[in-house]
Amino acid sequence: MKVYEIDLKLGASEPFGLWHISDSHLCLADERDNERKNKLAESRGISFTGGHPERILQYAREQFEAVRESGDTLIYTGDFCDFVSEANLDCAKELFGTVDAFVCAGNHEFSQYVGEAWEDEAYKAMSFEHVKESFPGNDIWYSERILHGVRFVAVDNNYYYVLPEQLERFRKALSDGIPTVLCVHNPLYSENTYETIMKGKAPDEPPYLCGCPYNLLLNLNDHRRRQQTTNDVTREFVDLCESSPNLKAILGGHLHRFASCTMNSGIPQIVAPGGYANEVVRYHIT
Ligand SMILES: [Fe+2]
């Protein structure tokens, strides 16, 4: 297991350790799901691991065991499951039941067959309650928690937007002076984040960032441009993150590679690598 060790100064009441894992993309299915789902499980598992699909679960177990042994909390920023299946959700329920975890959902958490449909609130609603009950003690859409004097807020932004209720709840959370960390699946746009993650990529490759300015999406195909275009509420959410003195860091996933970036405001944005490749982040927080 590769562990990226990061020091984060957040203004905690005492030093503490914290794990950050994302994007395990579990690809399990069994007789409870149909043949299409079982075939999807096989092909997706092979593509994530270069032909060793059994490693995904093996690595997840190894990572959760390390978290459990440390006694520290785990921040999980989405895509534990690659698609909705009974076997994937059973595994989520089992592993998340063994550690103290704070979770936001990823886009794949609600994916039925991966890329087969336009993903919006109606699509998410098909599986939301079933998925949510597989992450014990977590809301997975919006939740807050204070650890050693630091407030962690998990916001589901995995379709590149937030909803007005999430914006207003987050605005309220940022108003009382407690140092706050935002946990999201899709990293937020900032100039540095965009430069960092686009380095070496062709200009028509999507940035996969929430809040990306429209002029940076012009080279994308129609589907990706429409998917990643920022609406007004989401623009306000990103602006709030850039202007709030109480926001101290952003933790994200989704990109399947580790990245240490900064927002325009100067706060860190850390992107966790793919858990399926057995890479995780561990923070030493003060
Ligand atoms: Fe992912």
Side-chain angles (χ1 to χ4, degrees):
M1 181 168 75
K2 179 176 172 73
V3 183
Y4 292 87
E5 307 271 355
I6 307 272
D7 290 324
L8 272 186
K9 289 186 176 56
L10 303 175
S13 56
E14 58 188 328
F16 66 103
L18 187 71
W19 296 85
H20 179 191
I21 308 179
S22 202
D23 297 86
S24 295
H25 284 271
L26 236 65
C27 294
L28 304 174
D30 58 24
E31 69 288 349
R32 291 172 291 173
D33 284 297
N34 62 22
E35 193 186 341
R36 182 182 176 193
K37 191 86 82 181
N38 277 271
K39 281 190 171 155
L40 177 78
E42 198 181 332
S43 63
R44 296 282 294 174
I46 288 169
S47 73
F48 274 112
T49 58
H52 301 278
E54 72 286 353
R55 288 183 185 167
I56 297 178
L57 181 56
Q58 181 191 319
Y59 291 159
R61 288 197 186 287
E62 185 184 329
Q63 293 157 17
F64 275 69
E65 182 58 19
V67 174
R68 196 190 61 74
E69 270 181 20
S70 73
D72 291 332
T73 299
L74 164 66
I75 305 289
Y76 201 97
T77 49
D79 284 4
F80 181 75
C81 303
D82 191 50
F83 47 80
V84 179
S85 73
E86 295 308 312
N88 275 346
L89 295 179
D90 277 357
C91 188
K93 200 180 265 183
E94 180 206 325
L95 285 182
F96 282 86
T98 63
V99 299
D100 180 37
F102 187 67
V103 181
C104 66
N107 51 314
H108 281 264
E109 247 73 65
F110 311 108
S111 191
Q112 298 289 337
Y113 290 96
V114 185
E116 87 287 3
W118 178 254
E119 297 182 340
D120 57 13
E121 292 309 289
Y123 184 74
K124 189 177 288 184
M126 290 168 65
S127 57
F128 184 82
E129 289 303 326
H130 193 28
V131 172
K132 181 179 158 179
E133 67 189 19
S134 304
F135 294 91
N138 279 278
D139 178 83
I140 75 170
W141 184 74
Y142 183 96
S143 47
E144 298 180 15
R145 180 160 171 199
I146 293 180
L147 286 172
H148 306 283
V150 178
R151 174 190 283 118
F152 290 81
V153 182
V155 176
D156 171 344
N157 73 340
N158 52 50
Y159 294 160
Y160 299 94
Y161 59 79
V162 299
L163 292 175
E165 185 190 332
Q166 292 170 308
L167 170 64
E168 291 319 314
R169 288 172 74 175
F170 190 51
R171 193 194 304 282
K172 190 162 176 279
L174 288 170
S175 68
D176 63 5
I178 296 176
T180 296
V181 174
L182 173 65
C183 307
V184 284
H185 183 61
N186 295 8
L188 304 192
Y189 169 83
S190 71
E191 287 167 22
N192 172 267
T193 304
Y194 182 82
E195 273 170 30
T196 304
I197 62 115
M198 290 302 286
K199 209 170 279 173
K201 279 189 175 186
D204 61 348
E205 286 187 60
Y208 297 109
L209 299 175
C210 177
C212 209
Y214 190 73
N215 66 312
L216 295 175
L217 304 175
L218 295 176
N219 291 322
L220 273 54
N221 68 40
D222 287 348
H223 171 78
R224 290 299 185 193
R225 188 168 56 247
R226 190 175 155 221
Q227 176 194 51
Q228 297 179 32
T229 294
T230 308
N231 67 25
D232 289 347
V233 171
T234 307
R235 172 67 50 217
E236 213 177 321
F237 181 83
V238 176
D239 289 348
L240 176 67
C241 292
E242 289 286 21
S243 62
S244 173
N246 294 335
L247 188 65
K248 303 301 183 190
I250 299 173
L251 313 183
H254 192 44
L255 305 182
H256 300 183
R257 53 164 284 193
F258 173 77
S260 176
C261 311
T262 52
M263 296 300 289
N264 295 344
S265 65
I267 66 167
Q269 172 164 250
I270 309 295
V271 181
Y276 65 83
N278 213 13
E279 297 188 2
V280 305
V281 184
R282 183 158 167 76
Y283 300 111
H284 304 275
I285 296 179
T286 50

